[in-house]
Amino acid sequence: MTGWMDRAACQDVDPELFFPVGSGELADEQAAAARAVCDRCRVRLECLAFAQRIQPSDGVWGGLTVDERQAARPEVADRPRLRAADRRPVRRPLRSR
């Protein structure tokens, strides 16, 4: 496991809390409860950076939902979301110096 994960506040919390199902009031309440755990986490920024790197298709990571993470990354906000199983490596052109 990644070192910061061992220090995360969510280690003693049911993982289901961080993956609200559906939408609506119940899902919003569950996401708010997950955010409360993240708010007291000392490795929240590491978690958020990890999520921005791996781009999971669901869940609350670093205190942000998928939609919030997408909004925080305007360069990918218009890209369609893919499930982890559908992801393919993206080849980017080399930049000239």
Side-chain angles (χ1 to χ4, degrees), residues 28-92:
D28 291 344
E29 289 174 8
Q30 189 176 349
R35 280 190 198 96
V37 174
C38 296
D39 286 346
R40 63 180 162 77
C41 184
R42 62 185 179 203
V43 294
R44 179 180 180 199
L45 294 178
E46 289 92 334
C47 180
L48 182 56
F50 179 75
Q52 292 290 44
R53 193 169 54 254
I54 68 166
Q55 299 180 28
S57 60
D58 56 2
V60 174
W61 293 77
L64 300 180
T65 64
V66 171
D67 292 334
E68 293 164 338
R69 290 192 306 274
Q70 286 293 322
R73 293 188 62 167
E75 71 276 8
V76 296
D78 294 329
R79 260 193 233 163
R81 254 186 257 141
L82 299 175
R83 294 175 304 153
D86 294 335
R87 293 186 196 276
R88 301 284 186 273
V90 175
R91 292 180 185 244
R92 295 188 177 146

